[in-house]
Amino acid sequence: MRRWAIPTLIVLVAILTVLSIAVGRVTLTWDLWTAQDPVSRLILIELRLPRAILGVLVGASLGLAGAAMQGYLRNALAEPGTLGVSAMSALGAVLSIFFDIASLHPWVLPICGVIGGMAGMAALFLLSGMAASVLTLVLSGIILSSLAIAGISLALSLSPSPWAAGEIVRWMLGSLTDRSFDELSIAAPLIVAGSVIVLGCRRPLDALTLGETGARSLGIDLNRAQWQLALGIGLIVGGSTAVTGVIGFVGLIVPHLMRALVGSRPGALLIPSALGGAALVLAGDIAVRLLPGGSELELGVVMSLIGAPFFFVLLHSMRRKLT
Amino acid sequence: MKLRVVSLLGALLLVASSAMATEPARRPMRIVSLNMCVDGILIELVSHDRIAALSHYARDPQRSTIAHVAQHLPITYETAEEVVALRPDLVLTSRHSAIATRNALQRVGIRFELFDVPDSIEESLAQVRQVARLLGAEREGEEMVARIEAALEAARLPADRQPLTAAIYQPGGLSAGADTVVGELMEIVGLRNIAARYGVQDYRPLPLEILVADPPDVLLVGETSRGAPLRAEKIVRHRALRALEPRMTHAIFPAKLLYCAGPTMIEAAAALVRAREQALSAQRARGAL
């Protein structure tokens, strides 16, 4: 592990946070505080600040969850969405738009998202049983995902007009645009709690590199570790999807990036992955606002656009190294 | 007749009570519209110096009927940041706009009004009046309503003529049922919307197979850009549809007339009348052969 990795990442996240607050469609002047301009201050505090904070939280927790999933399943293809909780959370939010209750109060949509995520987690526990193997856990996740996607597609296909369908699609694509402290205050407790729980799994994750029997012989309660991880990741993914929609690829590529920096010990990978995730999401959200022309692209779209080719290059270089 | 009077009274009462409830304190002078259909109403009701911004759709000639005017007016891309920076005193937006943006406006304390997609001509005219009231332009609103009603009356099928059957087939196969504004307009003009016969309500894709099995007299096909019948031909270029050409008239009904009601209905009714006459002359030509 390189000693400079974590400080560099912290500095990077700090710079990107400042940039994220400074950049936008409306150009703010430096003498904001002295100029007595309530509108600029409003834009800064009510619109850009929550957006930046949410970017840090969501990015960090998704990176963290991705690293933990890949460590636990010992599979480089795992990501936070593998457990199906993010799809269920999206379904909850989509249903609130579909039944037109989302416009009643700003809190309705994120709370429905959280309820969906929690229902997904409950279903996950029920489907795979308490003494679940890795296989049943992943399969249950895949079942939940497909079920949730089917539900979302049903809502889209039953929506009464192209406008109503458009509203659902735009939310689904995932974005941080115009999020407020309301949404932040719903998501933050869940995300922070989930992150703490996941961070508590560092020792089992490290032990698991020796295989399941090896970990058991070190005195690790694998069953407990599994549910602890599932709970933590469920909280993270449910909370963040409920307010931002689906932002993919972060949890998948960030751990791969960080492995090149800090080595592949899962426990040691968690914190750098969190920092890297925050940096990636912030950078993506800044790019979304700086891209020329038209409406803002959705962050989820940009993430996949950057993520897929990048992942391909990474895979290519890894393959060369392995053979 | 009696029923009509009662419903009219009801509507009046409704208008009166809601006017009392939402009486604007003063005429808004910095108006932002985030909705394409409200753009079309707004631009005709108030002087343009009171418009702080239209929606970005307004400038799109394929979707908006006011694109030429909107070129000279400011627009936003529907982010709260842009709206707040314009310091508007009234924001008009759609019930289907981004929820996060609406929440942000609410938090910041900017007054905004939501507009539904109208399901009928009556609802659309009520919406015109609602916008006019919010803008403090009731007189202009009534004039617009009168203009629309006159245009619809002029487009009405003469009583001595038989209606034709018709269906809408837009690029991508989207159709509109009889229970939509366009469906009502078609009924007035004398094009019986038979989408319901195909199981289409609201805005739904129309299965080609069912359409071909029982084709209407007129198929109202979309037009991607102004005066481009050749491209429209390409969009509806399925061989099955081409085979029906001797029996079914293809008439142009641009997609932009489908999206909005309000003053757009004037143009839509005119397009439908053109379609009707085109189909009739085609039928006569066929009869002469």
Side-chain angles (χ1 to χ4, degrees), chain A residues 260-281:
Chain A
L261 275 180
V262 299
S264 55
R265 192 165 61 85
L269 195 62
L270 291 183
I271 289 181
S273 289
L275 291 169
L280 186 65
V281 166

Side-chain angles (χ1 to χ4, degrees), chain B residues 36-159:
Chain B
M36 186 176 75
C37 297
V38 177
D39 287 340
I41 303 174
L42 175 67
I43 207 163
E44 289 193 34
L45 289 188
V46 299
S47 67
H48 292 180
D49 55 343
R50 281 171 68 192
I51 300 175
L54 297 175
S55 77
H56 62 282
Y57 300 108
R59 284 188 185 170
D60 181 352
Q62 278 167 37
R63 281 192 274 189
S64 158
T65 47
I66 53 161
H68 53 288
V69 193
Q71 300 300 338
H72 310 295
L73 287 167
I75 56 166
T76 69
Y77 288 98
E78 222 184 311
T79 62
E81 214 168 271
E82 292 167 286
V83 175
V84 171
L86 287 168
R87 298 153 214 250
D89 46 14
L90 177 64
V91 176
L92 307 169
T93 182
S94 156
R95 190 169 288 286
H96 297 299
S97 56
I99 290 179
T101 307
R102 259 153 39 199
N103 292 343
L105 291 180
Q106 196 170 17
R107 256 188 96 80
V108 167
I110 288 179
R111 174 164 166 241
F112 66 91
E113 293 289 335
L114 292 181
F115 293 93
D116 239 324
V117 180
D119 282 331
S120 65
I121 295 176
E122 200 185 327
E123 272 182 50
S124 171
L125 295 180
Q127 197 172 71
V128 170
R129 292 197 171 99
Q130 188 194 355
V131 174
R133 199 167 57 245
L134 288 166
L135 301 176
E138 286 88 347
R139 196 170 49 82
E140 290 85 346
E142 286 310 320
E143 280 168 15
M144 177 181 279
V145 169
R147 213 157 58 233
I148 296 169
E149 279 172 342
L152 297 188
E153 206 45 54
R156 190 178 287 280
L157 180 78

Side-chain angles (χ1 to χ4, degrees), chain A residues 1 3 31 50 53 60 96 109 117 121 123 147 152 170 187 189 221 240 245 252 258 261 264 300 308 320:
Chain A
M1 178 162 170
R3 209 179 306 151
D31 57 348
I53 298 173
S96 80
L109 188 144
M121 265 163 51
L147 199 68
I152 292 169
R170 230 170 318 147
D221 182 352
S240 57
L252 183 62
M258 292 304 132
L261 275 180
S264 55
R320 258 207 318 243

Side-chain angles (χ1 to χ4, degrees), chain A residues 83-93 95 110-128 140-141 143-145 147-148 190 227 230-231 233-235 237-239 242:
Chain A
L83 292 181
V85 180
S86 65
M88 287 298 282
S89 173
L91 176 66
L95 287 182
I111 285 176
C112 286
V114 169
I115 292 173
M118 295 304 124
M121 265 163 51
L124 190 72
F125 283 56
L126 278 175
L127 271 171
S128 53
S140 309
I143 293 170
L144 276 181
S145 287
L147 199 68
L190 296 173
W227 291 119
L231 179 70
I233 291 170
L235 286 172
V237 175

Side-chain angles (χ1 to χ4, degrees), chain B residues 119 121 168 176-193 203 253 258 272:
Chain B
D119 282 331
I121 295 176
I168 291 177
D179 53 349
T180 60
V181 172
V182 182
E184 264 189 74
L185 287 178
M186 287 166 68
E187 190 66 42
I188 290 177
V189 171
L191 296 171
R192 184 139 293 154
N193 189 332
Y203 298 90
F253 188 74
L258 189 64
L272 291 173

